[in-house]
Amino acid sequence: MPQQTAPRNPPQQPRVGLFVTCLVDLMRPSVGFAAAKLLQDAGCHVEVPAQTCCGQPAFNSGDRATAADLARAMIRAFSHLDYVVAPSGSCAGMVRRHYPELFADDPDLRGKANAFAEKTWELTSFLVDVMGVSDVNASFDGVATYHDSCAGLREMGVQAQPRKLLGSVRGLKLVEMEGSDVCCGFGGTFAVKYGEISNAIVSEKAARISESGAPMVLAGDLGCLMNMAGKLSRQNSATAVRHVAEVLAGMDDLPPIAAPAAPATGKPGAA
Amino acid sequence: MTAAITSPAFRENAHQALEDKQLQAVLGTMRTGFSVKRAEAAAALPEFEALRDSARDIKNHTLAHLDLYLEQYEAKVTASGGHVHYARDAAEARRIVADICRDLGAKTVTKGKSMISEEIGLNDHLEREGFTPVETDLGEYIIQLRHETPSHIIAPAFHLSAAQVEQDFRRVHTQLPPERDLSEPVSLLNEARQMLRQHFLAADVGITGANFLIAETGTSVIVTNEGNGDLTQTLPKAHIVLASLEKLVPTLDDCAQMLRVLARSATGQDSSVYTTFSTGPRRAGDADGPGAYHVVLLDNGRTGMLGTSFQEMLRCIRCGACMNHCPVYQAVGGHAYGWTYPGPMGSVLTPSLIGVEKGGHLPNASTFCGRCESVCPVRIPLPKLMRHWREKEFERHLTPATTRSGLALWGFFARRPWLYRQATRLGAATLALAARGRGKFAALPFASGWTQGRDFPAPEGRTFQAMWAAEAGKRRRAGGKPGAKEQNP
């Protein structure tokens, strides 16, 4: 499993660019605020450069030109920062594993793309492997199960880190489902283009989640979470679906993904 | 031409497979079958990961010097009294095999399991030419009775239940007493053995595939669990080995290395029950063996992959681990893929061999979860190669128009951050408003593929970038110490 090597001497108060990802930006901004809080608590100075998308949908659809355009813009926007951190193994994996591949034949950008890849991390692995966080100082009463999103697991080596951080949340008990490392069937545009197959795969995942007995499922990628939440919701399951960062940041007043809005508390999101 | 192709109808094939309750019940057993056994076998061998590197390197080396090893192999086969025939395509391979059978005046032709035979549609051709081909691998025997094709490269009848096989045996083996008990799988095996024995003895020609061809010695190697391959190749007058070019490995030692990853990756066995090495025909003084030994080496598009990014696919040793770990294969089974090779390896190989115009669905029907690559014994980067096919389709304008125009529209906004932010603000607000506090949509016109089986979660209502900018603005106005530098107006 590819594992990023942490730099020997990370800066005292590193300047971290929060690469919020287009899905979080559009669908669930609270995950972005949760990530910012976790990074700030860990001693990082957080910045949010203007951003759109890493280009993965184009890259995986065979449109390298569009992917390269968006990658160039990303590299420019975050160039002045020590690290780039995303609350997504998939988007961080796109940068980390595929930007170097995208510019392998471009002598001008190859070096920049490699350096950019080197400084890009998935949120939980950045907190644990770079910042040395072992306790997030949060509490969350209940039982949860954790789904290993594929790109985070297999491209970024994210497996122990989220479990370690969840283990530090007071009141939270983590139970493992069978096949937590098996794909949920999301696959980006696959979920729409081959919706029937995608639905069959997520039905299996929903069954494993239900069998775990946990009333809440967590993961580190919003795409997978929306897929699992959509299936569980269609089945009228009461299982709550949340991004792992929400629990680590103690945002339990936010309604779970695909759940009805909570009665107004006068508090927008949990920012 | 090759075996029948229904890959262009992948979507319809998959739909039928998902509706097929019997098939779904069988596929449901996969999640605790092959993959668990492979994981246990890999964990029990400390050097397994190093062996995978070594297997990859052996294959890469062989492919880089394929011409030299082919010459060496041919010379060794010839020196041991055998014959090597080169077949450029399926038709040539079929003709060569049929000619050998005809020259020997053959009637019955027994066959060990061979995916190349499936690829070139050999059985139908032999029947048309007046021969009687008999599959002797239990799974192949069953699907031959049913006039089907394999649904899995190492478990051809994987899609069937024991009850279905019992029905087929009762339908075909009418000479046996109808009251016999076939309720246990072993009774099915015994009945197949009993039926096959007469064919083994009557066969004039035996055809097998090859898991490896060894250049150093001119040897072909088969790996089986039933022993049928040995009877197929030793009893008749002639043994024909049907193999594709990339089965070559340089030496016996190399072959031994490859064998250590093959069975573990395939079935989780340390080693398969039978591993049989064949070098040439029977020699004077040999107790048994075939009178003649022929090797038909098939290209059928493979040399066209050399020197391209798809060369890596030629490392494949057909263990089936990629399909055993594939969520898409587990959902729809092998027949949906519509040609000889299913699963991730098929999704890369099929477009190479039959053309991306026909096989184009397959590399697209993947979630890119990467589990296939993580278990491949020769470390083929299957998702990357599937993506390369998507790139070729995009370059050649074979990508569906709706996908292309959707990508173009999205790309237009994503390239323009200011415009993008306005559009996403509007989009998030509109969608949230339309969801009316329910938190989800039961139907969305632009994503019916999603909403047919799932709800689509509603957005919170504001974009992160807009909220972050508003928060930063508040902090600035309050004159407080900025917790974050504002960059996002």
Side-chain angles (χ1 to χ4, degrees):
Chain A
M1 186 183 299
Q3 194 94 36
Q4 249 167 300
T5 324
R8 242 178 239 137
N9 299 305
Q12 276 298 311
Q13 199 201 5
R15 292 190 309 159
V16 172
L18 179 57
F19 163 32
V20 74
T21 79
C22 55
L23 268 185
V24 165
D25 185 41
L26 179 71
M27 302 299 295
R28 201 158 169 92
S30 298
V31 174
F33 285 101
K37 176 184 183 295
L38 289 164
L39 290 167
Q40 282 162 350
D41 288 353
C44 303
H45 176 84
V46 177
E47 294 185 23
V48 181
Q51 52 193 281
T52 65
C53 169
C54 63
Q56 185 175 192
F59 185 63
N60 282 348
S61 300
D63 181 359
R64 278 178 89 104
T66 302
D69 277 357
L70 299 181
R72 271 186 221 104
M74 278 283 295
I75 293 171
R76 258 198 315 273
F78 288 83
S79 61
H80 60 293
L81 296 157
D82 298 326
Y83 294 103
V84 180
V85 176
S88 159
S90 173
C91 307
M94 172 68 196
V95 174
R96 176 80 186 176
R97 304 284 157 207
H98 303 302
Y99 276 18
E101 186 188 333
L102 207 46
F103 297 109
D105 300 326
D106 183 337
D108 295 335
L109 266 168
R110 187 169 47 214
K112 275 188 188 163
N114 290 344
F116 190 72
E118 286 291 318
K119 70 176 186 182
T120 300
W121 292 77
E122 181 277 338
L123 175 67
T124 60
S125 81
F126 179 75
L127 291 172
V128 172
D129 300 334
V130 179
M131 299 308 293
V133 176
S134 55
D135 187 339
V136 290
N137 190 27
S139 52
F140 207 111
D141 278 329
V143 179
T145 189
Y146 181 84
H147 164 72
D148 293 284
S149 290
C150 298
L153 176 69
R154 283 181 272 271
E155 290 188 333
M156 301 296 283
V158 177
Q159 188 171 33
Q161 304 92 329
R163 289 176 171 84
K164 179 174 185 176
L165 295 178
L166 288 168
S168 76
V169 176
R170 289 182 298 279
L172 183 72
K173 187 183 169 219
L174 199 62
V175 295
E176 294 290 338
M177 70 175 102
E178 182 199 315
S180 66
D181 64 338
V182 175
C183 181
C184 75
F186 172 63
T189 55
F190 173 86
V192 177
K193 282 197 292 186
Y194 297 93
E196 199 181 358
I197 302 172
S198 173
N199 180 51
I201 300 173
V202 75
S203 301
E204 280 290 315
K205 179 55 72 174
R208 302 291 90 74
I209 293 168
S210 301
E211 285 163 15
S212 79
M216 176 165 71
V217 59
L218 305 172
D221 266 279
L222 191 53
C224 317
L225 287 162
M226 288 173 60
N227 186 35
M228 294 185 289
K231 187 70 222 177
L232 289 162
S233 160
R234 180 62 59 92
Q235 294 174 340
N236 296 314
S237 160
T239 309
V241 183
R242 288 183 183 278
H243 193 285
V244 66
E246 297 169 21
V247 171
L248 296 178
M251 287 185 176
D252 50 349
D253 53 346
L254 176 75
I257 299 167
T265 57
K267 205 173 163 195
Chain B
M1 269 323 299
T2 55
I5 297 167
T6 68
S7 305
F10 173 78
R11 225 186 275 276
E12 294 75 20
N13 296 347
H15 173 74
Q16 280 179 17
L18 288 165
E19 299 278 298
D20 183 339
K21 291 205 167 60
Q22 189 285 129
L23 174 64
Q24 289 299 316
V26 177
L27 290 171
T29 64
M30 279 200 104
R31 113 185 121 79
T32 50
F34 286 127
S35 59
V36 173
K37 289 186 180 131
R38 182 223 168 250
E40 287 168 0
L45 192 66
E47 67 268 39
F48 189 69
E49 294 306 309
L51 282 172
R52 289 173 67 194
D53 290 339
S54 164
R56 173 199 58 205
D57 296 345
I58 289 168
K59 279 292 191 174
N60 277 347
H61 169 84
T62 314
L63 292 168
H65 306 283
L66 193 59
D67 49 350
L68 293 176
Y69 288 119
L70 277 170
E71 282 181 6
Q72 189 189 3
Y73 173 75
E74 182 188 352
K76 287 289 175 183
V77 172
T78 309
S80 63
H83 305 274
V84 175
H85 311 260
Y86 292 93
R88 273 167 298 199
D89 55 25
E92 229 171 65
R94 289 191 301 252
R95 185 176 49 69
I96 292 166
V97 173
D99 285 352
I100 296 169
C101 294
R102 200 174 298 108
D103 287 350
L104 288 164
K107 290 191 181 66
T108 299
V109 178
T110 44
K111 294 181 68 214
K113 197 178 126 32
S114 158
M115 290 309 293
I116 298 299
S117 164
E118 300 291 341
E119 177 181 330
I120 66 174
L122 183 61
N123 285 359
D124 286 350
H125 183 73
L126 289 177
E127 281 176 14
R128 274 196 302 273
E129 297 286 311
F131 307 106
T132 307
V134 181
E135 295 289 350
T136 66
D137 170 90
L138 179 59
E140 289 281 351
Y141 177 72
I142 292 164
I143 61 168
Q144 189 183 21
L145 295 184
R146 297 172 60 90
H147 305 286
E148 288 182 341
T149 56
S151 64
H152 188 290
I153 61 171
I154 69 160
F158 186 75
H159 56 290
L160 299 170
S161 67
Q164 284 174 297
V165 177
E166 178 180 346
Q167 274 180 18
D168 289 318
F169 280 15
R170 290 194 186 281
R171 173 174 59 82
V172 178
H173 302 159
T174 47
Q175 64 274 51
L176 297 175
E179 66 279 8
R180 68 195 188 278
D181 180 18
L182 289 176
S183 56
E184 292 298 316
V186 69
S187 53
L188 295 169
L189 180 66
N190 288 336
E191 178 160 318
R193 284 213 166 111
Q194 186 188 338
M195 301 307 294
L196 284 169
R197 196 153 298 139
Q198 48 200 317
H199 294 300
F200 282 129
L201 295 170
D204 306 296
V205 173
I207 300 176
T208 68
N211 291 92
F212 302 101
L213 301 172
I214 303 172
E216 176 182 47
T217 55
T219 301
S220 57
V221 182
I222 57 167
V223 164
T224 70
N225 280 318
E226 296 166 22
N228 63 300
D230 299 67
L231 291 172
T232 299
Q233 67 183 38
T234 38
L235 295 182
K237 286 181 260 186
H239 174 199
I240 303 175
V241 179
L242 197 50
S244 49
L245 303 168
E246 80 279 13
K247 292 288 164 194
L248 272 170
V249 291
T251 66
L252 274 165
D253 277 353
D254 293 328
C255 179
Q257 290 256 351
M258 303 305 296
L259 287 167
R260 295 189 76 196
V261 294
L262 175 57
R264 288 182 171 89
S265 300
T267 53
Q269 293 165 286
D270 292 346
S271 151
S272 47
V273 178
Y274 298 87
T275 302
T276 310
F277 293 69
S278 311
T279 313
R282 171 192 222 152
R283 293 162 300 188
D286 280 353
D288 53 23
Y293 179 83
H294 296 269
V295 182
V296 180
L297 282 179
L298 178 70
D299 182 345
N300 211 25
R302 287 164 176 81
T303 49
M305 296 163 71
L306 290 170
T308 74
S309 60
F310 298 108
Q311 176 169 322
E312 297 199 79
M313 191 60 224
L314 296 175
R315 290 204 296 267
C316 178
I317 56 173
R318 306 292 191 269
C319 69
C322 59
M323 56 200 75
N324 294 341
H325 292 77
C326 176
V328 175
Y329 182 96
Q330 285 182 23
V332 302
H335 284 149
Y337 291 79
W339 196 54
T340 308
Y341 303 103
M345 58 77 63
S347 297
V348 176
L349 189 61
T350 301
S352 301
L353 300 187
I354 68 171
V356 72
E357 299 81 1
K358 288 181 187 147
H361 261 303
L362 310 187
N364 282 286
S366 163
T367 66
F368 281 167
C369 79
R371 213 167 165 226
C372 50
E373 182 177 358
S374 75
V375 296
C376 176
V378 286
R379 301 198 190 279
I380 300 170
L382 291 155
K384 181 174 109 179
L385 298 183
M386 284 185 243
R387 191 183 297 108
H388 282 182
W389 276 123
R390 299 184 190 185
E391 285 163 8
K392 297 228 176 282
E393 286 188 295
F394 193 85
E395 281 163 21
R396 292 170 55 187
H397 292 263
L398 295 169
T399 310
T402 45
T403 308
R404 275 191 96 85
S405 50
L407 265 178
L409 183 68
W410 167 84
F412 176 84
F413 283 101
R415 281 183 173 100
R416 294 165 177 80
W418 184 85
L419 207 56
Y420 179 88
R421 281 201 302 281
Q422 313 314 312
T424 49
R425 272 178 204 199
L426 188 66
T430 310
L431 278 171
L433 202 63
R436 286 184 288 171
R438 285 180 302 232
K440 66 193 181 198
F441 298 92
L444 276 180
F446 55 86
S448 59
W450 179 297
T451 52
Q452 262 162 22
R454 290 157 286 192
D455 292 337
F456 192 86
E460 284 184 62
R462 297 178 68 195
T463 66
F464 174 79
Q465 295 191 74
M467 290 171 79
W468 183 267
E471 296 257 327
K474 256 187 261 168
R475 276 195 298 272
R476 260 201 313 273
R477 281 192 297 278
K481 210 171 121 200
K485 195 172 130 199
E486 173 52 25
Q487 287 226 336
N488 201 337

